[in-house]
Amino acid sequence: MDKIQLGEYIKSIDQDLGIKEGNQYIEVTVPPSKLHSLAKQLRDDKEAQFDFLFCLSGVDWGQDLGVVYHLRSTIYEHVVVIKTRTSDREYPQFDSVSDIWKTADFHEREAFDLLGIRFTNHPDLRRLFLDSSWGFPLRKDYVDDINIVTK
Amino acid sequence: MLPDIVALNTSPSLSVPWWKVVYDFSSLTEWIDASLHNYMSPFWTSITEMLIIGVLILLFYAVIGLFLVYAERKVCAFMQNRLGPNRVGPFGIFQTIADLFKLLFKELIPIKNADGFLFNLAPFIVIIASFMAIAAIPFAKGLHAIDLNIGVLYVMAVSAMGVIGVLLAGWSSNNKYSLIGAMRSGAQIVSYELSVGLSIITIIILAGSMQLSVIVEAQRDGWFIFKGHIPAFIAFIVFLISSTAETNRGPFDLAEAESELTAGYHTEYSGIKFAFFFLAEYINMFIVASIAATVFLGGWMPFHVGHWEGFNYIMDFIPPFIWYIGKTFFVIFLMMWFKWTFPRLRIDQLLTLEWKYLLPINLVNVLIMAFIVLMGWHF
Amino acid sequence: MEEKEKNINPDEQQEYVINMGPQHPSTHGVLRLVVSLKGEIVKNIEPHIGYIHRGIEKMCESITYPQIIHLTDRMDYLSAHINNEAVCLNVEKALEIDIPDRIKVIRTIMSELTRIQSHQLWWASFGMDLGGLTCFFYGLRDREKILDIFEETCGGRMLVSYNCPGGVMYDIHPNFQKRVKDFIKYFRKILPEYDQLLSGNVIFHERSKGIGKLSLEDAISYGITGPTGRGSGFSCDVRKHEPYSAYDRITFKEILHTEGDTYCRYITRIDEMWESMNIIEQLIDNIPEGPFAVKMKPIIKLPEGEYYQRVETARGELGVYIISDGNKNPYRVKFRSPNFVNLSVFNHITKGFKIADLVAIGGSLDLVIPDIDR
């Protein structure tokens, strides 16, 4: 499916999803509550078959914290980008997709480590690179007077 | 030519060529023994002789150890298209001496929670085992410390004692890698001891004796590897494989396996204690190679071909000690060749190789050899 | 009291936990594996990473795009050139710059040389993992020849930093074509030697066949790319599926093997070296004339938006995800590093095998630790 068809296909799943045609891939914005069911559907549907999660990035959007999923189908070769965000900076929480794509296990641990985003139902959510005493360095409000030298 | 030599062996006379007398060390040793007897009582004579032999063997041990380390590094460099040691002395021949001094001056790091007594004892057991085995090896005619009538058995029994040291080292180091290494080594040496023993038994059947000097003497008219037809050759191959395994050398170096267990049983050792393990490994290789040379390749006997009188005459001219060293180093070179070209086996494959392949082959081989000897089909 | 003892799982009681690394010869860097053993059999592996976490993604947020390139060298240092290329391609795509053919061809040749030298070093260290120390020297001997070619043209040997947005730093050295051709001629003769030394060895076959099987479904689900994924039959070569630089104008095979064991991963990489040589041979005589770099503005600002570029490094798919807010610094950069993802499958495929197999499987995954930690 090309970008337009993909957009229509995703509209057919749920009318409320925000669909934006990015300069490269089609981008879908999902509220956190619908994330897991949409992900599962995208992988299992015969038409879509997004079986390869090739990138999962946590992003600090300033006010919100979000996660960006890059999905690809190894059969149809189409790509979709799923975005989800929450404004809760104290206790940001999303559903884990590690039961759908096993690769999400490590990616989610990384996002938790560097951005403090929690994933419910994750099998083993611990910090990956850093010590537990560190803050979450990829957040925009992270301050470290010793290690970060600002101009 | 042939009857002449036999006559020479019983009583050296002036009618034989001078080098034959010179190459027979028994006259020299007998002369030393006799002259010592003139000055001292028999008790002190034997004490003095033991001291002399002890010092000589220690010296030999150190020299051969240093040389083998150098040889290994050069051979390995040759295989890996490198130069090897080339800085200390011409062609780097003093490199190992420099290494020895480095090891001597290194700190002996004490290990917390290690069993101190066993930890210190282990390298000595390993080195004493290899040291004792050297005593029975015939370097040339009349040149061995002790000629036991069960020489082969003695050498095998004593050199197998080294595994106790390895096990103790692994156990007492309080290191998990060491323990795994020691356990591997235990399983490995106990298994391969069987094959070493059986492949030598094949030759003992042919020789009819376990005395090393008799075994060498029996190869005067042809080395056992040629005399014993195919069974002897199979026994030689099996001996090479299993003795390499017994000395914990690659591709059977599972006990140290540096890519898996860092350094296995000697991970925690440093300085001279490590040097003991290191030296013992090379001396064990030397012992195993010299047994192979003695039992299969005729020991210090020169290479003779049937009735080529002239050829045999020239071969006789080369001193027996050179023959012995040459054959031993040939076998050592083979073992180094294995080590630097083969990847390492896994522990279960190692045991499968022994119990499923080498042992049955060996057992059948012993039977065939016994049959050949019974029928008198050997040369 | 008695009830308590009954509840303890006997398997758990007998677990023997060893720490492999951070300083261990076969982890190829500062990777720490906490391995639970039962005897010699591996029950569980837990990778502990982050010993050389430098926060490259965070650093990228405060530096300019040309500067980012020099950081990417330090991720997967064996695919340094390909990492550079990924960032450059992404920046060029965002700015919609047309890149002349000459640059594309030079980049492709360089990428393939990088791939060969990376696989050579992998072969060398894989042989060493299995106990064949001689492999190490054979591999490094040939890798040196590629590094010399790099040195002549790029100035650097390993961390080349040859790319810049809009092209390459300098033109190729006059000797470049001749030396590359000489190398291909030499390596075509030498590569069968690798097979003689390791691939054809009985012990090697015993050690690698059927070890660490990774099924196609698992490979896709775990996102395993590169030769590791292709060894399981996962067609994931970005050069084929989403051609960049000059890959769309040359013919080459995507190497696929289906068994998914250590041996297949091994043979995939050996075949890839042959294929890389084919690619270079197609291009080396046809480097078009033209400038070696497009004139760029002194300060590169990406238009607001999100850009994703995938390239095929020697270890798999590298994704560079740049979110720009229109400034000269990126708002967020995410590197989807192949090693990080490939590490996640380690535990899954090693369970139930022996320690020696753990080392062999680790070698066949070909992990580069700085790329995992970033």
Side-chain angles (χ1 to χ4, degrees), chain A residues 5 14 20 30 37 41 62 80 98 106 110 126 136 149:
Chain A
Q5 283 172 317
D14 196 331
K20 191 183 135 209
V30 194
S37 58
Q41 198 164 4
V80 70
S98 58
F106 260 49
E110 190 196 359
R126 282 175 299 137
F136 302 113
V149 182

Side-chain angles (χ1 to χ4, degrees), chain C residues 355-366:
Chain C
I355 306 175
D357 297 330
L358 162 84
V359 173
I361 293 168
S364 75
L365 289 180
D366 191 15

Side-chain angles (χ1 to χ4, degrees), chain A residues 113-114 128-131 134, chain C residues 22-23 27-32 48-57 59 71 73-77 339 367-374:
Chain A
D113 191 10
L114 301 177
L128 194 59
F129 301 117
L130 302 174
D131 202 72
W134 282 79
Chain C
Q23 271 82 38
T27 53
H28 304 302
V30 279
L31 169 69
R32 176 169 152 230
H48 284 229
I49 55 181
Y51 286 87
I52 39 171
H53 177 65
R54 293 148 293 178
I56 285 183
E57 286 172 11
M59 282 154 86
L71 283 181
D73 273 342
R74 275 83 184 163
M75 294 190 332
D76 183 352
Y77 50 81
N339 292 292
L367 301 171
V368 168
I369 312 303
D371 196 28
I372 296 172
D373 286 351
R374 294 195 298 280

Side-chain angles (χ1 to χ4, degrees), chain C residues 203-233:
Chain C
I203 299 176
F204 173 71
H205 280 219
E206 289 278 314
R207 283 289 305 273
S208 61
K209 277 191 176 160
I211 302 300
K213 276 212 170 182
L214 175 65
S215 67
L216 174 60
E217 289 74 36
D218 279 342
I220 295 174
S221 180
Y222 276 100
I224 308 303
T225 49
T228 315
R230 290 195 283 279
S232 298

Side-chain angles (χ1 to χ4, degrees), chain C residues 95-303:
Chain C
L95 295 173
E96 290 170 357
I97 298 171
D98 255 348
I99 296 299
D101 284 352
R102 183 177 176 82
I103 299 170
K104 285 184 179 172
V105 170
I106 290 174
R107 279 180 178 172
T108 310
I109 294 171
M110 281 296 195
S111 296
E112 291 309 311
L113 283 176
T114 308
R115 195 181 315 281
I116 294 178
Q117 63 92 13
S118 168
H119 285 345
Q120 280 168 341
L121 187 74
W122 158 79
W123 183 82
S125 58
F126 186 54
M128 202 171 65
D129 284 344
L130 293 177
L133 284 166
T134 306
C135 303
F136 194 73
F137 292 92
Y138 275 59
L140 285 193
R141 172 194 65 187
D142 303 332
R143 179 169 178 258
E144 205 65 10
K145 298 206 176 346
I146 294 185
L147 295 189
D148 286 344
I149 296 174
F150 281 172
E151 190 181 10
E152 213 173 48
T153 292
C154 316
R157 287 166 69 81
M158 201 159 82
L159 308 175
V160 287
S161 289
Y162 184 49
N163 280 301
C164 61
V168 289
M169 291 269 188
Y170 357 80
D171 208 353
I172 50 172
H173 194 271
N175 280 346
F176 180 73
Q177 275 159 299
K178 188 184 157 288
R179 289 192 70 161
V180 171
K181 274 188 268 185
D182 283 351
F183 169 76
I184 300 281
K185 211 173 136 199
Y186 164 81
F187 198 53
R188 276 193 186 279
K189 254 193 279 166
I190 281 293
L191 196 48
E193 213 174 74
Y194 286 24
D195 291 338
Q196 284 164 17
L197 192 60
L198 201 60
S199 327
N201 193 303
V202 188
I203 299 176
F204 173 71
H205 280 219
E206 289 278 314
R207 283 289 305 273
S208 61
K209 277 191 176 160
I211 302 300
K213 276 212 170 182
L214 175 65
S215 67
L216 174 60
E217 289 74 36
D218 279 342
I220 295 174
S221 180
Y222 276 100
I224 308 303
T225 49
T228 315
R230 290 195 283 279
S232 298
F234 177 22
S235 166
C236 56
D237 198 331
V238 183
R239 294 176 291 172
K240 208 72 183 171
H241 292 280
E242 225 174 87
Y244 54 94
S245 291
Y247 286 112
D248 48 354
R249 71 182 67 176
I250 42 176
T251 50
F252 67 102
K253 283 206 302 278
E254 180 181 5
I255 311 292
L256 282 178
H257 286 88
T258 47
E259 287 294 306
D261 55 0
T262 303
Y263 182 73
C264 269
R265 293 193 275 274
Y266 171 89
I267 222 74
T268 307
R269 287 194 174 88
I270 296 280
D271 289 350
E272 270 191 14
M273 284 198 256
W274 286 109
E275 208 53 50
S276 288
M277 284 194 283
N278 284 341
I279 294 173
I280 296 170
E281 273 187 341
Q282 285 176 43
L283 293 172
I284 192 69
D285 281 326
N286 309 318
I287 302 179
E289 291 299 316
F292 60 85
V294 177
K295 190 107 177 85
M296 299 283 284
K297 282 182 199 149
I299 293 172
I300 297 170
K301 286 182 180 170
L302 258 55

Side-chain angles (χ1 to χ4, degrees), chain A residues 59-62 65 89 115 136-143, chain C residues 58 61 325 330-333:
Chain A
V59 184
D60 183 0
W61 296 103
L65 284 169
R89 290 183 78 86
L115 282 138
F136 302 113
L138 278 186
R139 287 194 183 187
K140 290 289 173 188
D141 52 6
Y142 173 78
V143 210
Chain C
K58 182 72 182 172
E61 289 174 11
D325 55 356
Y331 183 77
R332 165 93 165 94
V333 177

Side-chain angles (χ1 to χ4, degrees), chain B residues 1 4 8 12-25 27 313-314 316-320:
Chain B
M1 197 71 204
D4 210 354
L8 157 87
S13 66
L14 286 173
S15 64
V16 296
W18 58 269
W19 64 84
K20 297 243 155 129
V21 186
V22 173
Y23 293 166
D24 188 351
F25 285 90
S27 54
Y313 190 79
I314 294 166
D316 280 343
F317 198 74
I318 299 170

